[in-house]
């Protein structure tokens, strides 16, 4: 089955955070705080997907309160932080919604994402993913993480399924 054909079956997305929603950079702030940057392009697509009844899970090894706040602000309820076993969290997400691997598109950028990507219908990664992830990816976005790679895959799925239209979704 071709990549475009597989997009027709997608009901859910599972994303990593650092290197996918962000460019992977961590800004060190005074007082020991860290800061990340996320794209409003990705936020817009996430909100649009949720309004169109797609399921979205985020599985990350990190545990940053500001990231959690942003993910929740976008409307994503399935947020797995401090994930030491991404495959277990992936299975939990699937079970919760009675999903099959063929209905899920995953996007990751580094070695901890390898197993969940291998167990989904479409394994996508940003342009700046590590070589091991690019080697197993079904689709490599021409866009870097943190610059709209999340939007790229969401938009492709929604266009193939005829759901990407102007519905006045606000940019977030």
């Amino acid at each position: 089955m071709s990549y475009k054909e597989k997009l027709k079956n997608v009901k859910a997305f599972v994303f990593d955070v650092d290197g996918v929603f962000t460019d992977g950079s961590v800004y060190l702030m005074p007082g020991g705080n860290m800061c990340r940057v996320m794209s409003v392009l990705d936020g817009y697509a996430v909100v649009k997907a949720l309004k169109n009844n797609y399921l979205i899970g985020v599985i990350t090894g990190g545990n940053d309160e500001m990231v959690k706040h942003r993910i929740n602000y976008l409307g994503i309820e399935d947020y797995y932080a401090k994930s030491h076993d991404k495959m277990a969290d992936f299975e939990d997400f699937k079970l919760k919604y009675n999903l099959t691997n063929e209905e899920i598109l995953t996007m990751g950028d580094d070695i901890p994402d390898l197993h969940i990507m291998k167990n989904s219908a479409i394994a996508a990664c940003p342009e700046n993913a590590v070589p091991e992830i690019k080697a197993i990816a079904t689709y490599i976005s021409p866009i870097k993480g943190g610059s709209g790679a999340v939007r790229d895959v969401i938009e492709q799925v929604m266009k193939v399924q005829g759901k990407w239209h102007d519905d006045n979704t606000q940019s977030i």
Side-chain angles (χ1 to χ4, degrees):
M1 182 182 299
S2 74
Y3 167 69
K4 290 287 184 187
E5 285 293 314
K6 288 180 180 181
L7 294 178
K8 292 178 181 178
N9 298 325
V10 172
K11 293 181 180 178
F13 301 90
V14 174
F15 297 106
D16 180 31
V17 173
D18 291 319
V20 175
F21 270 102
T22 76
D23 68 2
S25 297
V26 176
Y27 299 93
L28 304 176
M29 309 297 283
N33 292 321
M34 294 184 287
C35 178
R36 292 169 176 82
V37 176
M38 294 186 179
S39 172
V40 295
L41 296 173
D42 293 338
Y44 175 83
V46 164
V47 171
K48 191 174 197 72
L50 291 169
K51 283 185 176 183
N52 280 275
N53 300 313
Y54 290 92
L55 301 166
I56 299 179
V58 173
I59 304 174
T60 179
N63 189 31
D64 184 286
E65 278 301 311
M66 291 307 296
V67 170
K68 180 181 179 181
H69 176 76
R70 173 70 175 163
I71 296 301
N72 292 152
Y73 179 78
L74 294 175
I76 298 170
E77 295 177 8
D78 296 288
Y79 179 65
Y80 300 85
K82 289 179 67 174
S83 181
H84 299 292
D85 184 353
K86 287 192 175 189
M87 197 63 207
D89 293 330
F90 180 73
E91 291 297 331
D92 181 71
F93 179 75
K94 282 177 30 184
L95 184 62
K96 180 177 179 179
Y97 296 106
N98 196 30
L99 293 164
T100 65
N101 291 348
E102 293 74 28
E103 297 170 319
I104 303 172
L105 181 151
T106 55
M107 181 175 252
D109 72 307
D110 207 347
I111 303 301
D113 306 313
L114 191 69
H115 293 324
I116 65 171
M117 291 176 69
K118 282 184 173 182
N119 283 281
S120 60
I122 300 169
C125 68
E127 184 273 331
N128 54 330
V130 299
E132 295 88 345
I133 293 299
K134 286 182 172 181
I136 60 106
T138 311
Y139 173 72
I140 301 172
S141 175
I143 303 169
K144 291 182 178 182
S147 297
V150 169
R151 179 185 176 134
D152 178 31
V153 293
I154 290 174
E155 185 174 337
Q156 285 186 55
V157 168
M158 292 181 71
K159 281 183 174 177
V160 164
Q161 295 182 9
K163 296 179 181 179
W164 187 264
H165 51 79
D166 186 10
D167 64 355
N168 297 321
T169 300
Q170 303 248 329
S171 182
I172 308 271

